[in-house]
């Protein structure tokens, strides 16, 4: 598999193969989350406004910690982007690198207010905890639009990996309920199909960062309560199970061809295109999961980063401005 990787990514291949082994074990997940909290919680981004709040849950859960980021010297209202961090539904935080760099780049590319929820991870609370936290954050932002200095009629939602899966889920519910108008969504290499029955989900075993084994651990953790009760998996838990793609917002995404989410991302894009949704999509040959974040200096990673913010700027100007 290594020989199929982009040449600049090959040097990182062996080391990054250790990651799925760690996150496939419960002790490894607890260790990573402990280290993340120790190293990053409360970390601020220079050059923009930083705020932390605790907002009420609408579903009987604990208050939701959210980070709010704004450009300096704001005059008037701005669009709001909800950024949802990734980590297989089991690890991570809004502050864990490179999330803060991603958030700052969104703000610098086009001015917006970014709200990033610290949703509950699956070992703490399985589905629907994370989904509810993210959707509640979106509703809270709309309800408090004047105080936050944002428009209440046009939101953007973005996230990578499991954050991409939650982006797709939040967008799906917003489409269904019409609670919030999503101008466009950015589910980047999203984790959306719990069935894990596509070729890439089954075959990507010997790859770095995230593989079939860690993917199973993530879904088993997130859907623990549903599977114990032998219930049907809801589309808001696994958006690839949705069969109706009408009236979705414009969508931006990309994926590598050496990762479990390749096929489910392609299937998702094709379903949207079939309904005439405006989609910007790229597939990067020789790239494993999260290559753009893990090996940012590689030229192909720079290309993916440029695609992300160029596409964001284009859709911002087209659908938000």
């Amino acid at each position: 598999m290594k020989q199929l990787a982009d040449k600049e990514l090959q040097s990182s291949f062996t080391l990054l193969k250790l990651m799925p082994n760690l996150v496939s074990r419960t002790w490894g997940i607890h260790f990573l989350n402990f280290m993340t909290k120790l190293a990053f919680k409360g970390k601020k981004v220079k050059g923009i406004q930083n705020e932390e709040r605790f907002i009420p849950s609408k579903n009987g859960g604990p208050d939701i910690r959210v980070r709010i980021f704004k450009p300096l010297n704001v005059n008037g209202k701005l669009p709001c982007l909800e950024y949802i961090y990734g980590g297989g539904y089991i690890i991570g935080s809004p502050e864990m690198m490179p999330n803060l760099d991603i958030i700052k780049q969104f703000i610098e590319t086009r001015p917006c207010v970014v709200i990033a929820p610290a949703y509950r991870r699956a070992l703490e609370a399985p589905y629907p905890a994370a989904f509810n936290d993210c959707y509640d954050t979106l509703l809270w932002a709309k309800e408090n639009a004047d105080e936050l200095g944002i428009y209440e009629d046009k939101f953007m939602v973005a996230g990578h990996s499991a954050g991409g899966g939650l982006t797709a889920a939040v967008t799906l519910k917003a489409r269904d309920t019409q609670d919030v108008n999503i101008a466009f969504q950015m589910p980047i290499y999203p984790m959306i199909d719990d069935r894990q029955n596509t070729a890439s989900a089954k075959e990507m075993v010997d790859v770095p960062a995230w593989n079939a084994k860690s993917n199973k651990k993530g879904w088993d953790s997130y859907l623990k309560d549903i599977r114990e009760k032998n219930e049907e998996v809801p589309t808001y838990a696994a958006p690839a199970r949705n069969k109706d793609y009408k009236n979705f917002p414009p969508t931006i995404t990309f994926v590598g061809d050496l990762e479990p989410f390749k096929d489910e991302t392609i299937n998702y894009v094709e379903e949207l295109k079939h309904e005439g949704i405006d989609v910007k999509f790229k597939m990067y040959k020789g790239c494993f999961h999260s290559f753009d974040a893990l090996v940012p200096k590689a030229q192909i990673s720079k290309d993916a980063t440029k695609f992300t913010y160029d596409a964001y700027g284009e859709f911002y100007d087209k659908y938000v401005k």
Side-chain angles (χ1 to χ4, degrees):
M1 193 67 72
K2 181 177 179 179
Q3 65 272 18
L4 299 176
D6 178 85
K7 288 183 178 180
E8 287 189 86
L9 301 182
Q10 288 183 10
S11 61
S12 303
F13 206 91
T14 301
L15 180 62
L16 291 175
K17 277 177 64 178
L18 298 174
M19 289 179 60
N21 292 327
L22 188 60
V23 297
S24 297
R25 293 167 168 81
T26 299
W27 68 263
I29 296 168
H30 286 307
F31 172 75
L32 286 172
N33 283 327
F34 172 77
M35 294 304 295
T36 296
K37 183 176 181 180
L38 196 66
F40 298 116
K41 187 176 180 182
K43 188 175 177 63
K44 294 187 176 182
V45 187
K46 293 181 179 179
I48 59 177
Q49 295 182 46
N50 295 252
E51 185 179 355
E52 180 179 77
R53 290 200 196 183
F54 289 82
I55 66 172
S57 165
K58 294 180 179 293
N59 296 277
D63 287 352
I64 306 161
R65 184 173 71 89
V66 299
R67 293 293 304 272
I68 303 170
F69 304 92
K70 299 180 181 181
L72 300 174
N73 304 316
V74 176
N75 292 314
K77 291 185 176 182
L78 292 173
C80 180
L81 184 151
E82 180 178 30
Y83 181 76
I84 306 173
Y85 72 85
Y89 300 108
I90 49 179
I91 61 172
S93 76
E95 298 88 356
M96 187 174 74
M97 298 301 291
N99 297 335
L100 295 182
D101 291 339
I102 291 169
I103 287 167
K104 186 176 183 181
Q105 188 64 52
F106 276 127
I107 290 173
E108 290 181 343
T109 301
R110 293 292 188 277
C112 63
V113 174
V114 177
I115 299 180
Y119 61 82
R120 285 169 286 172
R121 298 171 298 236
L123 293 191
E124 305 160 14
Y127 177 85
F131 170 72
N132 284 342
D133 289 350
C134 293
Y135 199 75
D136 286 354
T137 298
L138 191 65
L139 294 178
W140 174 82
K142 180 181 178 181
E143 291 164 1
N144 294 273
D146 288 341
E147 180 192 352
L148 292 167
I150 60 175
Y151 297 109
E152 65 176 19
D153 59 343
K154 287 185 180 180
F155 285 80
M156 305 168 285
V157 186
H160 291 69
S161 190
L166 287 163
T167 293
V170 164
T171 297
L172 175 59
K173 184 170 182 179
R175 190 282 308 263
D176 291 345
T177 63
Q178 299 295 299
D179 288 333
V180 182
N181 179 33
I182 308 295
F184 66 88
Q185 64 160 346
M186 298 181 68
I188 306 297
Y189 37 78
M191 183 176 175
I192 53 176
D193 197 344
D194 69 292
R195 295 164 294 192
Q196 302 166 74
N197 59 6
T198 64
S200 64
K202 292 186 287 188
E203 295 169 3
M204 296 301 167
V205 176
D206 189 33
V207 291
W210 193 259
N211 63 17
K213 185 178 179 181
S214 54
N215 199 33
K216 183 178 185 304
K217 180 66 172 179
W219 281 116
D220 285 349
S221 302
Y222 191 48
L223 302 179
K224 179 177 179 289
D225 287 354
I226 292 171
R227 289 177 173 171
E228 285 181 351
K229 297 174 184 176
N230 199 30
E231 296 176 345
E232 183 177 350
V233 176
T235 56
Y236 298 155
R241 288 177 174 264
N242 172 50
K243 299 184 184 302
D244 177 10
Y245 289 83
K246 293 182 177 66
N247 302 315
F248 262 69
T251 299
I252 298 165
T253 187
F254 70 85
V255 72
D257 70 343
L258 297 181
E259 74 144 290
F261 302 153
K262 181 193 79 169
D263 291 339
E264 60 203 67
T265 302
I266 292 171
N267 293 342
Y268 186 72
V269 164
E270 290 304 314
E271 292 284 2
L272 291 170
K273 286 183 176 180
H274 180 73
E275 293 297 341
I277 308 302
D278 190 0
V279 178
K280 291 192 76 70
F281 168 69
K282 289 189 76 170
M283 185 167 70
Y284 287 91
K285 187 176 180 180
C287 292
F288 45 77
H289 185 67
S290 198
F291 67 96
D292 54 319
L294 295 171
V295 194
K297 293 184 180 180
Q299 186 56 53
I300 200 163
S301 300
K302 293 177 181 178
D303 291 347
T305 299
K306 186 176 187 302
F307 168 78
T308 300
Y309 298 110
D310 284 353
Y312 162 72
E314 179 183 332
F315 273 28
Y316 181 107
D317 292 344
K318 190 174 182 179
Y319 296 109
V320 178
K321 191 173 180 181

